[in-house]
Amino acid sequence: MIVSLDVIRLDTVTAPTRIPSQSPVNNDEGIIIMTTTGEGARPLPLIGQAVGQAQASLTRLLTGILAERGTSHPVWLGLQRLNALGGQPAREAFEADLSYWLQLDGPAAARLAGDVVAAGLAASGDDGSIALSAGGRALREEVLAASAKVTGPMLATIDRADLDTTIRTLEKITRLASTTEGNR
């Protein structure tokens, strides 16, 4: 069993500012905190590690499903971002979104947008827009259905309330991280 003791000095945390004519604060006062950890206990993984491991596992499954359909993971991500933008944004807005969400520079985002069009998953409009094609919608439905066949049984073993909490938590982390990023 591991036991650790920490002494927190009250004067460093809560002592009011001392006026020179007052006597000094008693520096020996404090709070003792004792924590005990069982011998077999492991520390919880950091949230980034847990999310990263889950993402890597699910990405491997998704990559296999995409390979069966002849679609690369980057093109799939481009298709997903196009859908998230409503399926018909201006080309510049689509490329900016790809750049932001996938951390691509301008030329790489433009190439990926072109790859989505070249794969027949979207079409460029005369007005400068890029629109999800019937083929793009069909591929999304097919991949999502195949993914559900794999992940459905896994998720069925997890309490629905826990899943709802996880989704809300991850959505909030995403919003907070995006806000934090914009303030740097």
Side-chain angles (χ1 to χ4, degrees), residues 130-163:
I130 186 164
L132 196 60
S133 69
R137 282 189 292 283
L139 178 66
R140 279 192 80 253
E141 290 173 16
E142 199 177 306
V143 170
L144 294 175
S147 296
K149 284 182 184 177
V150 175
T151 59
M154 289 188 298
L155 296 177
T157 67
I158 301 171
D159 180 73
R160 181 62 191 201
D162 288 346
L163 284 174

Short mmCIF file of all heavy atoms in Angstrom, two decimals, residues 130-163:
data_model
loop_
_atom_site.label_atom_id
_atom_site.label_comp_id
_atom_site.label_asym_id
_atom_site.label_seq_id
_atom_site.Cartn_x
_atom_site.Cartn_y
_atom_site.Cartn_z
N ILE A 130 -19.50 23.51 -54.37
CA ILE A 130 -19.19 22.09 -54.51
C ILE A 130 -20.33 21.35 -53.83
O ILE A 130 -20.71 21.69 -52.71
CB ILE A 130 -17.80 21.75 -53.92
CG1 ILE A 130 -17.44 20.31 -54.22
CG2 ILE A 130 -17.71 22.07 -52.47
CD1 ILE A 130 -15.96 20.02 -54.02
N ALA A 131 -20.93 20.40 -54.53
CA ALA A 131 -22.13 19.75 -54.02
C ALA A 131 -21.94 18.24 -53.90
O ALA A 131 -21.33 17.61 -54.77
CB ALA A 131 -23.31 20.05 -54.93
N LEU A 132 -22.46 17.70 -52.85
CA LEU A 132 -22.49 16.26 -52.63
C LEU A 132 -23.25 15.63 -53.79
O LEU A 132 -24.33 16.09 -54.14
CB LEU A 132 -23.20 16.00 -51.30
CG LEU A 132 -23.05 14.65 -50.63
CD1 LEU A 132 -21.60 14.34 -50.31
CD2 LEU A 132 -23.86 14.64 -49.34
N SER A 133 -22.69 14.59 -54.39
CA SER A 133 -23.36 13.93 -55.51
C SER A 133 -24.20 12.75 -55.01
O SER A 133 -24.09 12.35 -53.85
CB SER A 133 -22.32 13.40 -56.50
OG SER A 133 -21.58 12.33 -55.92
N ALA A 134 -24.99 12.19 -55.89
CA ALA A 134 -25.78 11.00 -55.55
C ALA A 134 -24.83 9.87 -55.14
O ALA A 134 -25.10 9.12 -54.20
CB ALA A 134 -26.65 10.59 -56.73
N GLY A 135 -23.69 9.76 -55.85
CA GLY A 135 -22.69 8.75 -55.49
C GLY A 135 -22.11 8.98 -54.11
O GLY A 135 -21.85 8.03 -53.36
N GLY A 136 -21.90 10.24 -53.76
CA GLY A 136 -21.40 10.57 -52.42
C GLY A 136 -22.40 10.22 -51.34
O GLY A 136 -22.04 9.66 -50.30
N ARG A 137 -23.66 10.54 -51.59
CA ARG A 137 -24.71 10.20 -50.61
C ARG A 137 -24.82 8.68 -50.47
O ARG A 137 -24.94 8.16 -49.35
CB ARG A 137 -26.04 10.80 -51.03
CG ARG A 137 -26.16 12.29 -50.71
CD ARG A 137 -27.57 12.83 -50.92
NE ARG A 137 -27.97 12.86 -52.33
CZ ARG A 137 -27.56 13.78 -53.21
NH1 ARG A 137 -26.75 14.75 -52.81
NH2 ARG A 137 -27.96 13.75 -54.46
N ALA A 138 -24.75 7.95 -51.60
CA ALA A 138 -24.87 6.49 -51.57
C ALA A 138 -23.69 5.88 -50.80
O ALA A 138 -23.88 4.96 -49.99
CB ALA A 138 -24.93 5.94 -52.98
N LEU A 139 -22.47 6.38 -51.05
CA LEU A 139 -21.30 5.86 -50.34
C LEU A 139 -21.43 6.11 -48.84
O LEU A 139 -21.15 5.22 -48.04
CB LEU A 139 -20.01 6.48 -50.86
CG LEU A 139 -18.75 6.01 -50.13
CD1 LEU A 139 -18.49 4.52 -50.37
CD2 LEU A 139 -17.54 6.84 -50.55
N ARG A 140 -21.86 7.30 -48.45
CA ARG A 140 -22.03 7.60 -47.03
C ARG A 140 -23.00 6.62 -46.39
O ARG A 140 -22.72 6.06 -45.33
CB ARG A 140 -22.56 9.03 -46.82
CG ARG A 140 -21.52 10.10 -46.87
CD ARG A 140 -22.03 11.44 -46.38
NE ARG A 140 -22.00 11.44 -44.92
CZ ARG A 140 -23.08 11.37 -44.14
NH1 ARG A 140 -24.28 11.30 -44.63
NH2 ARG A 140 -22.95 11.37 -42.83
N GLU A 141 -24.14 6.41 -47.02
CA GLU A 141 -25.15 5.50 -46.47
C GLU A 141 -24.59 4.08 -46.36
O GLU A 141 -24.80 3.40 -45.35
CB GLU A 141 -26.40 5.52 -47.33
CG GLU A 141 -27.19 6.81 -47.22
CD GLU A 141 -28.35 6.90 -48.21
OE1 GLU A 141 -28.75 5.86 -48.78
OE2 GLU A 141 -28.85 8.02 -48.42
N GLU A 142 -23.87 3.64 -47.38
CA GLU A 142 -23.30 2.30 -47.40
C GLU A 142 -22.26 2.12 -46.28
O GLU A 142 -22.27 1.13 -45.55
CB GLU A 142 -22.64 2.10 -48.77
CG GLU A 142 -22.39 0.69 -49.17
CD GLU A 142 -21.80 0.64 -50.58
OE1 GLU A 142 -22.41 1.20 -51.51
OE2 GLU A 142 -20.73 0.02 -50.72
N VAL A 143 -21.36 3.09 -46.16
CA VAL A 143 -20.30 3.01 -45.14
C VAL A 143 -20.89 3.11 -43.74
O VAL A 143 -20.50 2.37 -42.83
CB VAL A 143 -19.22 4.09 -45.38
CG1 VAL A 143 -18.25 4.18 -44.20
CG2 VAL A 143 -18.46 3.79 -46.67
N LEU A 144 -21.85 4.00 -43.56
CA LEU A 144 -22.46 4.13 -42.23
C LEU A 144 -23.21 2.85 -41.85
O LEU A 144 -23.16 2.42 -40.68
CB LEU A 144 -23.39 5.35 -42.19
CG LEU A 144 -22.67 6.71 -42.32
CD1 LEU A 144 -23.69 7.85 -42.38
CD2 LEU A 144 -21.67 6.92 -41.20
N ALA A 145 -23.88 2.22 -42.81
CA ALA A 145 -24.59 0.96 -42.52
C ALA A 145 -23.60 -0.15 -42.18
O ALA A 145 -23.81 -0.91 -41.22
CB ALA A 145 -25.46 0.57 -43.71
N ALA A 146 -22.51 -0.24 -42.95
CA ALA A 146 -21.51 -1.27 -42.68
C ALA A 146 -20.84 -1.02 -41.33
O ALA A 146 -20.56 -1.96 -40.58
CB ALA A 146 -20.46 -1.30 -43.80
N SER A 147 -20.59 0.25 -41.02
CA SER A 147 -19.99 0.59 -39.72
C SER A 147 -20.91 0.22 -38.58
O SER A 147 -20.47 -0.30 -37.55
CB SER A 147 -19.68 2.09 -39.66
OG SER A 147 -18.72 2.44 -40.60
N ALA A 148 -22.19 0.47 -38.75
CA ALA A 148 -23.17 0.15 -37.71
C ALA A 148 -23.23 -1.35 -37.43
O ALA A 148 -23.44 -1.76 -36.29
CB ALA A 148 -24.55 0.69 -38.09
N LYS A 149 -23.02 -2.16 -38.47
CA LYS A 149 -23.02 -3.62 -38.27
C LYS A 149 -21.86 -4.04 -37.38
O LYS A 149 -21.97 -5.00 -36.63
CB LYS A 149 -22.92 -4.34 -39.62
CG LYS A 149 -24.20 -4.34 -40.39
CD LYS A 149 -24.05 -5.13 -41.68
CE LYS A 149 -25.32 -5.05 -42.49
NZ LYS A 149 -25.17 -5.74 -43.79
N VAL A 150 -20.76 -3.31 -37.46
CA VAL A 150 -19.58 -3.64 -36.66
C VAL A 150 -19.69 -3.01 -35.27
O VAL A 150 -19.47 -3.67 -34.25
CB VAL A 150 -18.29 -3.16 -37.36
CG1 VAL A 150 -17.07 -3.38 -36.47
CG2 VAL A 150 -18.12 -3.87 -38.69
N THR A 151 -20.01 -1.72 -35.22
CA THR A 151 -20.01 -1.02 -33.93
C THR A 151 -21.30 -1.24 -33.14
O THR A 151 -21.29 -1.12 -31.91
CB THR A 151 -19.79 0.49 -34.12
OG1 THR A 151 -20.83 1.01 -34.95
CG2 THR A 151 -18.43 0.77 -34.72
N GLY A 152 -22.40 -1.56 -33.83
CA GLY A 152 -23.68 -1.76 -33.13
C GLY A 152 -23.59 -2.77 -32.00
O GLY A 152 -23.98 -2.47 -30.86
N PRO A 153 -23.08 -3.97 -32.27
CA PRO A 153 -22.97 -4.96 -31.18
C PRO A 153 -22.05 -4.50 -30.05
O PRO A 153 -22.30 -4.79 -28.89
CB PRO A 153 -22.40 -6.20 -31.89
CG PRO A 153 -22.80 -6.04 -33.32
CD PRO A 153 -22.78 -4.57 -33.58
N MET A 154 -20.99 -3.78 -30.39
CA MET A 154 -20.09 -3.27 -29.34
C MET A 154 -20.83 -2.26 -28.47
O MET A 154 -20.78 -2.32 -27.24
CB MET A 154 -18.87 -2.58 -29.96
CG MET A 154 -17.88 -3.51 -30.61
SD MET A 154 -16.36 -2.68 -31.11
CE MET A 154 -16.92 -1.50 -32.31
N LEU A 155 -21.48 -1.32 -29.11
CA LEU A 155 -22.16 -0.26 -28.37
C LEU A 155 -23.36 -0.80 -27.58
O LEU A 155 -23.72 -0.24 -26.54
CB LEU A 155 -22.61 0.85 -29.32
CG LEU A 155 -21.48 1.59 -30.02
CD1 LEU A 155 -22.04 2.61 -30.99
CD2 LEU A 155 -20.54 2.24 -29.02
N ALA A 156 -23.94 -1.90 -28.05
CA ALA A 156 -25.08 -2.50 -27.33
C ALA A 156 -24.68 -3.03 -25.95
O ALA A 156 -25.53 -3.18 -25.08
CB ALA A 156 -25.69 -3.62 -28.17
N THR A 157 -23.39 -3.26 -25.75
CA THR A 157 -22.92 -3.76 -24.46
C THR A 157 -22.67 -2.64 -23.46
O THR A 157 -22.36 -2.88 -22.30
CB THR A 157 -21.61 -4.58 -24.61
OG1 THR A 157 -20.56 -3.70 -25.04
CG2 THR A 157 -21.78 -5.71 -25.61
N ILE A 158 -22.79 -1.39 -23.92
CA ILE A 158 -22.52 -0.23 -23.07
C ILE A 158 -23.85 0.42 -22.68
O ILE A 158 -24.73 0.61 -23.52
CB ILE A 158 -21.61 0.79 -23.81
CG1 ILE A 158 -20.29 0.11 -24.19
CG2 ILE A 158 -21.36 2.02 -22.94
CD1 ILE A 158 -19.42 0.94 -25.10
N ASP A 159 -23.97 0.77 -21.42
CA ASP A 159 -25.18 1.42 -20.92
C ASP A 159 -25.50 2.67 -21.75
O ASP A 159 -24.63 3.49 -22.00
CB ASP A 159 -24.98 1.79 -19.44
CG ASP A 159 -26.19 2.46 -18.85
OD1 ASP A 159 -27.19 1.76 -18.62
OD2 ASP A 159 -26.12 3.69 -18.64
N ARG A 160 -26.76 2.78 -22.17
CA ARG A 160 -27.18 3.90 -23.02
C ARG A 160 -26.92 5.26 -22.35
O ARG A 160 -26.50 6.21 -23.01
CB ARG A 160 -28.67 3.75 -23.37
CG ARG A 160 -29.21 4.83 -24.25
CD ARG A 160 -28.49 4.83 -25.58
NE ARG A 160 -28.82 6.03 -26.32
CZ ARG A 160 -28.68 6.15 -27.61
NH1 ARG A 160 -28.22 5.15 -28.31
NH2 ARG A 160 -29.00 7.27 -28.21
N ALA A 161 -27.15 5.35 -21.06
CA ALA A 161 -26.90 6.62 -20.35
C ALA A 161 -25.41 6.97 -20.38
O ALA A 161 -25.05 8.14 -20.54
CB ALA A 161 -27.40 6.53 -18.91
N ASP A 162 -24.55 5.95 -20.26
CA ASP A 162 -23.10 6.20 -20.35
C ASP A 162 -22.72 6.69 -21.74
O ASP A 162 -21.90 7.60 -21.88
CB ASP A 162 -22.31 4.93 -20.03
CG ASP A 162 -22.35 4.56 -18.56
OD1 ASP A 162 -22.76 5.40 -17.73
OD2 ASP A 162 -21.98 3.41 -18.23
N LEU A 163 -23.31 6.09 -22.77
CA LEU A 163 -23.03 6.55 -24.15
C LEU A 163 -23.49 7.99 -24.35
O LEU A 163 -22.77 8.79 -24.94
CB LEU A 163 -23.74 5.64 -25.16
CG LEU A 163 -23.11 4.28 -25.40
CD1 LEU A 163 -24.00 3.44 -26.33
CD2 LEU A 163 -21.72 4.40 -25.97
#
